[in-house]
Amino acid sequence: MPATEWTVPLLVDWIRTYADDVAAAADDLTALDSAIGDADHGSNMKRGFAAAVTALDEKPPATCADVLKTTGMSLVSHVGGASGPLYGTFFLRLGAAAGTETTVDATTFGAGLHAALDGVRARGKAEVGDKTLIDALTPAVEAYDAALAKAADPSDDALVDAIAEATKAAAIGRDSTTPLQARRGRASYLGERSVGHQDPGATSMALLFAAAEQVTR
Amino acid sequence: MTVGIVVVSHSRALADAAVALAGEMVPSGSVPVRVAAGSSDMTFGTDATEIQRALVSADSASGGDGVVVLMDLGSAILSTEMALELVPDDVRSRVRVASAPLVEGLVVAMITASIGSARERVAADARNALQPKITQLDES
């Protein structure tokens, strides 16, 4: 059964699935980061999301906001690299938008994605084209909006469809980073040498939407 | 009282050594310094919640004079900004984050703080900490 809305168990499933995905991809993410960064993105994300899963196990969340805020705080204290405050801000903003309910509908989740995008953009001062996770997140949020606007009845398959469209857009955005020269983050120190490498942050962001698609469809 | 200083670095060893080097310039214990450095498993990294605790501790030790933060690069800056969202409003209002080079900025900040300067002055002097090096090398 495709999900019509987010629930507390479904959000926890998203975080668990992503923790598994990012652990499986850790070596690949670190290989991307070793080309243009400090070679720790995979291990950092794996550690951060493992800590989030542990925190969710230790104190079972009562609301959607609890799931997302617990995840965000685990990331800011366990990731270590810039992705800690960036992904941490993403989940804290998404959590703030989710409110104190035990479900989040497609429209509220869309508003949460906007708040998360704004928060991450403000935190990292990055824009589209800077070769960062923003290059995957921005088109994903735009595609989510567009799909939701097209849906006849937002209570039906709207969430699944919108997340599927967001996932496709995030993957295209991830691929778009390869020819870019980095203007933010550690890779920006490399100048022209950063051209020709896929951005690790955009890669992990695309995986985050793919995990959401996997658990909701 | 004396302005407190928080050093944020990817490396505990780097931060401790920088504090020891700068500490040679001031009477022992004259400036409350806190270090938030390294990630939880002792690899390179920064932790916003550790920085949050360091800010609160240094602010408390400053007796209301506030805190100046010196950082290395990248996630040290992002995690410090994240930590500022996590501290109480009154603490945040007393924190100045200095866009200074870590070693030179820390030496200048420690000296300026030790003579009782206000946090704005400590932060401003730290930001200008490269000037002696620039002057020296441009003259040679």
Side-chain angles (χ1 to χ4, degrees), chain A residues 38 80-83 85-86 123-124 184-189, chain B residues 8-10 45-46 51 71-82:
Chain A
D38 49 358
S83 41
L86 293 171
R123 173 76 58 231
R184 290 284 164 194
R186 199 72 74 91
S188 64
Y189 290 97
Chain B
V8 180
S9 169
H10 283 68
T46 57
I51 301 167
M71 304 156 297
D72 59 18
L73 69 169
S75 73
I77 302 165
L78 297 190
S79 290
T80 297
E81 291 179 325
M82 185 89 231

Side-chain angles (χ1 to χ4, degrees), chain B residues 62-138:
Chain B
S62 79
D65 279 4
V67 178
V68 172
V69 185
L70 281 302
M71 304 156 297
D72 59 18
L73 69 169
S75 73
I77 302 165
L78 297 190
S79 290
T80 297
E81 291 179 325
M82 185 89 231
L84 283 171
E85 283 188 20
L86 304 175
V87 298
D89 290 346
D90 62 319
V91 174
R92 186 184 315 116
S93 71
R94 291 189 291 269
V95 175
R96 296 294 175 269
V97 180
S99 56
L102 177 58
V103 174
E104 288 87 346
L106 183 60
V107 169
V108 169
M110 291 276 275
I111 294 167
T112 318
S114 73
I115 57 175
S117 305
R119 56 182 176 262
E120 275 75 16
R121 179 64 190 274
V122 175
D125 284 3
R127 273 194 289 273
N128 291 325
L130 272 184
Q131 201 51 54
K133 191 191 264 179
I134 291 168
T135 304
Q136 166 107 14
L137 293 174
D138 284 353

Side-chain angles (χ1 to χ4, degrees), chain A residues 38 40 44 47 73 76-86 88-89 92-93 122-125 186 189, chain B residues 10 39-41 43-50 52 73-83 85-86:
Chain A
D38 49 358
D40 61 4
N44 282 352
R47 180 175 57 238
M73 284 309 295
V76 301
S77 61
H78 287 96
V79 168
S83 41
L86 293 171
T89 298
L92 290 171
R93 294 290 192 279
R123 173 76 58 231
K125 312 278 195 305
R186 199 72 74 91
Y189 290 97
Chain B
H10 283 68
S39 67
S40 47
D41 64 354
T43 56
F44 291 126
T46 57
D47 172 347
T49 58
E50 188 191 7
Q52 170 197 10
L73 69 169
S75 73
I77 302 165
L78 297 190
S79 290
T80 297
E81 291 179 325
M82 185 89 231
E85 283 188 20
L86 304 175

